[in-house]
Amino acid sequence: MQGAKKALIKHGYAKLTTNRIAAAAGVSVGSLYQYFPDKNAILIRMIREYADGMQERMQATILANLSSDPEQIVAVVIDSMVDAFAAEKDLMAVIVGEVPYHGGLAELDAIHGKIVDNLTMFIGLIGGQQVKNPRLKAYVAFKGVDGVLLGWLSGRSGFTAAEIKEELTLLATNYLQTIAP
């Protein structure tokens, strides 16, 4: 997958070919076709691996910090998300900005659903039975954070990762205060 990432970042989606992916990965095109029928299958796998890692990171962060106060949990989850986006900023910018949304990228929606499930669990833990529609609250919180991060990926915002972390933490903790008992 590293070769595919390098080729996608270097050439962009429109000029990405299986030949370029194979060359960047140091394998023959024939070998590549044994595992993937086309470049979209490779992209789907790449996105799945990235999103699975993000979901696992978020779940582990929440579970590792359950004894912390909710605001601290929000801060470490935001840190984790921003760091994950920053680590693959060039890749994510190409995926978000150039890759057409097709059926395969529905994989990303499924993984986002898992992230919302984790946030729903977290909201249920801090809000108990008093929270009306915790899944909706989790969805809105996630999409708000995700939207800011995707906008930041464009590189045109001029904001640093530290600034984004601080503001997203403030946004999320203020939202969280509206649901905590």
Side-chain angles (χ1 to χ4, degrees):
M1 283 297 120
Q2 289 303 317
K5 287 179 186 180
K6 288 177 186 176
L8 180 61
I9 292 166
K10 180 177 181 180
H11 300 289
Y13 178 78
K15 294 182 181 176
L16 183 68
T17 64
T18 51
N19 287 340
R20 288 183 166 156
I21 294 169
V27 300
S28 71
V29 175
S31 293
L32 189 68
Y33 279 122
Q34 286 181 334
Y35 299 98
F36 303 100
D38 57 29
K39 73 178 185 181
N40 286 327
I42 296 167
L43 289 172
I44 290 167
R45 171 79 164 276
M46 189 185 318
I47 291 166
R48 184 182 303 138
E49 286 180 7
Y50 174 80
D52 280 345
M54 173 75 85
Q55 188 268 336
E56 289 167 9
R57 175 184 270 192
M58 182 180 288
Q59 184 176 28
T61 300
I62 290 171
L63 293 175
N65 291 282
L66 279 178
S67 62
S68 300
D69 63 57
E71 288 79 16
Q72 180 61 29
I73 295 172
V74 168
V76 296
V77 168
I78 297 289
D79 278 357
S80 178
M81 287 183 72
V82 173
D83 290 346
F85 270 76
E88 298 283 0
K89 191 172 182 180
D90 293 338
L91 174 66
M92 293 305 295
V94 174
I95 289 172
V96 170
E98 297 180 28
V99 175
Y101 190 88
H102 56 79
L105 292 184
E107 290 280 337
L108 192 55
D109 288 338
I111 297 199
H112 283 177
K114 291 178 187 176
I115 293 171
V116 170
D117 289 344
N118 286 327
L119 291 174
T120 302
M121 174 193 69
F122 172 65
I123 289 170
L125 288 172
I126 62 165
Q129 299 295 321
Q130 300 163 350
V131 178
K132 182 179 177 186
N133 202 347
R135 185 162 178 79
L136 173 62
K137 303 235 182 277
Y139 176 83
V140 169
F142 172 71
K143 287 299 187 178
V145 170
D146 190 52
V148 170
L149 289 174
L150 292 175
W152 177 62
L153 282 176
S154 72
R156 294 186 302 267
S157 72
F159 301 118
T160 67
E163 291 171 318
I164 293 295
K165 285 179 183 181
E166 183 179 337
E167 289 302 311
L168 283 176
T169 300
L170 182 63
L171 177 72
T173 54
N174 282 333
Y175 184 65
L176 177 67
Q177 289 174 359
T178 68
I179 61 174

